[in-house]
Amino acid sequence: MSGLTNKRIVLGVSGSIAAYKAPDIVRRLQDLGADVRVIVTDGGREFVSERSLQTISKNKVHNNLWDKEAELSMGHIEIAKWADVVIIAPASANTIAKLCHGRADDLLSTVILATEAKIMIAPAMNQQMFAASAMKDNLGLLKARGIDIINPGFGDQACGDVGEGRLAEPIDIASQAAELFTSSLLSGKKVLITLGGTREAIDPVRFISNHSSGKMGMALAHACIQAGAKTTLIVGSISIELEKRAEIIQVISAEEMYQAVMKQIDNQDLFISCAAVADFRPKKVSKNKIKKDNQSMTIELIRNRDILASVCQLKKKPICIGFAAETENHIINANNKLIKKQCDAIILNDISQTEIGLNADENEVHLITKNRTEKIEKNTKQIVAEKIIDKLVNNFFNPS
Ligand code: C5P
């Protein structure tokens, strides 16, 4: 999961030998979180199997504009509307020429005419063809119409020539697509986020912890990165993949998390304390595995430091955002937390509902500041995270 999370991409594969790389492009887009549907032209089918594209994309591959059944399941207009982005990779010389003329004689060219989505093309062809003045004019025209050109690379070509015309690397195609969704809301800002649960050791094999998955913190990390922030994550125990574009510091206990936060806090603009930090830890950690000789045992617990409250006490402190997971008197308790910890905002989770909040894929929160309480309706954690970041920017960095 990352820069293309929840984004819907139509990959158009046209007739170039580089079409054999199309399954890899699908993979790279998926690595960044995209849902990918493939349209392959008749020319593209000569170079890559529909079965490979279907297996990797996990979606039916589209080819024929005139296939009644395919049109019934997802017609060309539906595909055009479904897409957030259409990427043609590889884009053959013929497909590029067709786009220039607005032809609609196959599924891909028709979808291109019918879509409002952003269009990107990655040309791939013989170096002489790429150098032809007709090609230069055609690419200039498409660029002027707002289509992004993902420039081909220079090097050995399948035909034996050496020159410019090799398809851009699949990973570069995917990251250029991800850049489309990067805003500048937090550009130049530094954000520090704690996430996941902490583990408080009892003995070398046992610990006290909680159900935190890290999903909400990671969704906030994606949202911050997409908003252009330099993002550092202090990560406890999580059950999801790490965000590759953030600086990652992994910790185990609350005390380690405290130390890591204090080391990183200087010069941060925003601190989001999303971690489920254990409030207590065993007073003594047994060096050896505790034997189960007795019928009962008692573990004495002592308080952990409150990381968020400690950051809020710093003389030079960033904008500080805390989370409150409440089961009752939600708004009152969250407001009390805002005052007690002296943070700038609290994001309130109602954890009495199992389908949202802790460990769930969806969330519904209230953003509480000194002056107002705003509800963010139930949605995927990613969408909720993006709305939280928008609101934080409006409240603290860009107040109207
Ligand atoms: O006091 P409570 O645990 O309900 O507060 C939750 C908020 O405080 C969360 O933002 C959490 O990350 C933070 N917290 C902390 N250090 C602790 C306990 C909670 O930073 N020891």
Side-chain angles (χ1 to χ4, degrees), residues 194-196 198 254 257-258 261 271-280 303-311 321-326 333 337 340-341 343 345-347:
T194 64
L195 63 144
T198 63
M257 188 172 270
Y258 172 89
V261 167
F271 173 54
I272 306 180
S273 183
C274 192
V277 186
D279 294 317
F280 294 92
R303 274 298 280 269
N304 277 325
R305 291 195 260 204
D306 190 312
I307 305 169
L308 175 60
S310 310
V311 172
I321 315 298
F323 270 75
E326 300 292 339
N333 288 345
K337 204 159 286 181
K340 194 167 154 216
K341 302 209 185 206
C343 42
I346 286 280
I347 294 158

Side-chain angles (χ1 to χ4, degrees), residues 257-400:
M257 188 172 270
Y258 172 89
Q259 298 295 346
V261 167
M262 289 307 169
K263 210 165 160 192
Q264 297 294 325
I265 202 70
D266 234 20
N267 300 322
Q268 297 291 344
D269 298 289
L270 178 63
F271 173 54
I272 306 180
S273 183
C274 192
V277 186
D279 294 317
F280 294 92
R281 66 176 181 277
K283 187 172 181 189
K284 267 197 205 143
V285 182
S286 171
K287 264 202 195 113
N288 299 311
K289 187 177 170 194
I290 300 171
K291 298 284 175 213
K292 51 175 178 282
D293 299 334
N294 300 329
Q295 284 309 311
S296 67
M297 70 176 284
T298 303
I299 301 173
E300 189 182 350
L301 301 176
I302 53 168
R303 274 298 280 269
N304 277 325
R305 291 195 260 204
D306 190 312
I307 305 169
L308 175 60
S310 310
V311 172
C312 292
Q313 292 304 314
L314 295 174
K315 259 199 194 133
K316 190 172 157 277
K317 68 176 178 101
I319 299 292
C320 292
I321 315 298
F323 270 75
E326 300 292 339
T327 51
E328 55 187 351
N329 300 328
H330 312 93
I331 306 266
I332 297 172
N333 288 345
N335 265 302
N336 289 341
K337 204 159 286 181
L338 181 78
I339 295 163
K340 194 167 154 216
K341 302 209 185 206
Q342 292 182 21
C343 42
D344 299 282
I346 286 280
I347 294 158
L348 164 66
N349 269 317
D350 173 359
I351 53 163
S352 62
Q353 303 178 47
T354 49
E355 73 277 15
I356 56 168
L358 269 188
N359 226 338
D361 291 326
E362 296 200 316
N363 212 353
E364 177 182 283
V365 301
H366 284 84
L367 178 72
I368 299 176
T369 59
K370 241 190 266 161
N371 307 323
R372 57 180 143 164
T373 295
E374 293 175 84
K375 186 173 181 187
I376 298 177
E377 297 289 346
K378 184 172 161 188
N379 214 320
T380 62
K381 285 190 169 170
Q382 192 53 50
I383 302 282
V384 170
E386 285 165 19
K387 293 194 170 162
I388 290 174
I389 296 304
D390 269 7
K391 289 191 188 297
L392 292 180
V393 169
N394 287 338
N395 271 287
F396 301 110
F397 297 117
N398 230 353
S400 47

Side-chain angles (χ1 to χ4, degrees), residues 65-86:
L65 184 59
W66 307 112
D67 177 343
K68 264 194 249 150
E69 260 181 44
E71 279 287 299
L72 274 177
S73 70
M74 195 177 203
H76 59 283
I77 300 296
E78 259 176 284
I79 301 175
K81 286 192 172 147
W82 176 86
D84 294 314
V85 189
V86 181

